[in-house]
Amino acid sequence: MNESSAPLESLRQLVRSYWKLICILGVCGVLAAGAFLLQRPPVYRATAEIVTGTYSLPSEVGTEPAVDKAGPLGLELPAETQARIIASPSVADIAAESLGLGTLEAAELPHQVSADPTTDNTFSVRVEGPSPEEAAERANAVADAYLQYRQETGKRELEALASRANELANDNLAAARALDAPIDAELRDGNSGYASVMLTRRQELERTAATAGASAAAFSSAAGSFDGGGSVLRPASSRTVTEALPVLNVLAFGLAAGLLTGLGAAALRRQFGNVRVGP
């Protein structure tokens, strides 16, 4: 017998000698797993799929600096980051409010949500619930909540762009009007050349103010119609839910744990059974 087959032969001898003990503990493992399933209420998992980035923006937004590589609105973050946001308490709170969950259920919801990117801009959203219908309802609510989160984030950024453009328009318009008196004074003094220079500057300020005002109007209009740039590709359905903890998997785990325990007990029994006390 070579060295590599020695442990295997030893295991075979152990099973032949103590197979009853090993089987008994294996059955005990299955019974313990069954008792666990009976005490634990069933949990179901539903999956919804969403897509993001399907929006158009005014051309003026293209002149704004991008937020890293997340686009000018800062929404197109790396897929892994978006998946973490989907499973975050911020999105879960929006979903819990739409579902009308109580305080306790709302606090548990973030722990029942998980998300993974399937492409750069599509995501699988999995949510657990006490019944197939509730699991599907919660998965769809979380998917909608993320789109709402994107909508609110995008609206805030567009409104901020509109505010900055309005400030620029007002500042340039005020600067242009401030040149009226100096221009009149130069004309009265006969300095038409200097007055012409100031008049040209005033016209430039007015054009800048008009451009900024148009941008502000475009940003405000875009903020009013921005929908988050996404949709639910495949809503969750109660007909396609799965059990979060499949019965067969739990029973198989209980059997495996029981058999391993039985092997350990058999090894200990053989070891200590060979020990003799006394002369």
Side-chain angles (χ1 to χ4, degrees):
M1 183 184 300
N2 56 44
E3 292 183 0
S4 61
S5 62
L8 183 59
E9 182 59 30
S10 177
L11 178 62
R12 288 173 179 168
Q13 291 179 357
L14 184 67
V15 172
R16 282 197 295 267
S17 300
Y18 298 98
W19 65 271
K20 290 183 179 180
L21 174 63
I22 295 171
C23 289
I24 289 172
L25 290 178
V27 172
C28 289
V30 173
L31 293 176
F36 170 77
L37 289 171
L38 289 175
Q39 293 179 355
R40 184 180 184 274
V43 177
Y44 301 90
R45 181 182 293 125
T47 302
E49 188 173 354
I50 59 178
V51 62
T52 62
T54 58
Y55 57 82
S56 59
L57 297 172
S59 58
E60 291 85 354
V61 177
T63 65
E64 296 293 327
V67 181
D68 295 329
K69 295 182 180 179
L73 300 184
L75 295 176
E76 306 319 313
L77 297 162
E80 293 78 9
T81 302
Q82 292 195 61
R84 287 196 292 270
I85 294 174
I86 293 171
S88 70
S90 298
V91 172
D93 288 345
I94 298 173
E97 184 176 356
S98 69
L99 290 167
L101 299 181
T103 303
L104 182 58
E105 289 179 309
E108 292 176 348
L109 185 59
H111 305 291
Q112 299 168 341
V113 180
S114 61
D116 289 304
T118 52
T119 68
D120 288 342
N121 68 328
T122 57
F123 305 88
S124 289
V125 183
R126 295 178 298 279
V127 184
E128 296 176 358
S131 70
E133 293 75 17
E134 288 187 72
E137 183 183 21
R138 293 183 181 188
N140 290 328
V142 171
D144 290 336
Y146 180 57
L147 298 180
Q148 182 179 337
Y149 171 90
R150 287 173 57 89
Q151 180 183 42
E152 293 172 354
T153 302
K155 280 181 178 291
R156 285 195 300 269
E157 184 58 32
L158 286 167
E159 289 167 355
L161 292 175
S163 177
R164 290 198 291 269
N166 268 322
E167 289 177 4
L168 180 61
N170 292 334
D171 290 346
N172 279 270
L173 190 57
R177 290 171 177 171
L179 291 175
D180 287 344
I183 290 172
D184 290 341
E186 294 297 333
L187 289 173
R188 285 195 301 270
D189 294 341
N191 298 326
S192 59
Y194 192 56
S196 177
V197 172
M198 286 194 293
L199 182 60
T200 300
R201 174 58 179 162
R202 187 186 193 284
Q203 292 170 344
E204 290 175 354
L205 290 169
E206 286 180 332
R207 284 194 294 269
T208 302
T211 301
S215 295
F219 294 149
S220 295
S221 176
S225 60
F226 188 71
D227 62 357
S231 61
V232 181
L233 280 178
R234 295 185 181 85
S237 169
S238 60
R239 297 188 298 273
T240 58
V241 300
T242 59
E243 288 192 56
L245 200 61
V247 173
L248 291 179
N249 289 2
V250 176
L251 294 177
F253 176 80
L255 176 61
L259 292 175
L260 287 175
T261 302
L263 287 172
L268 288 174
R269 184 170 181 179
R270 183 175 63 180
Q271 177 68 25
F272 290 103
N274 293 332
V275 176
R276 295 181 179 277
V277 180

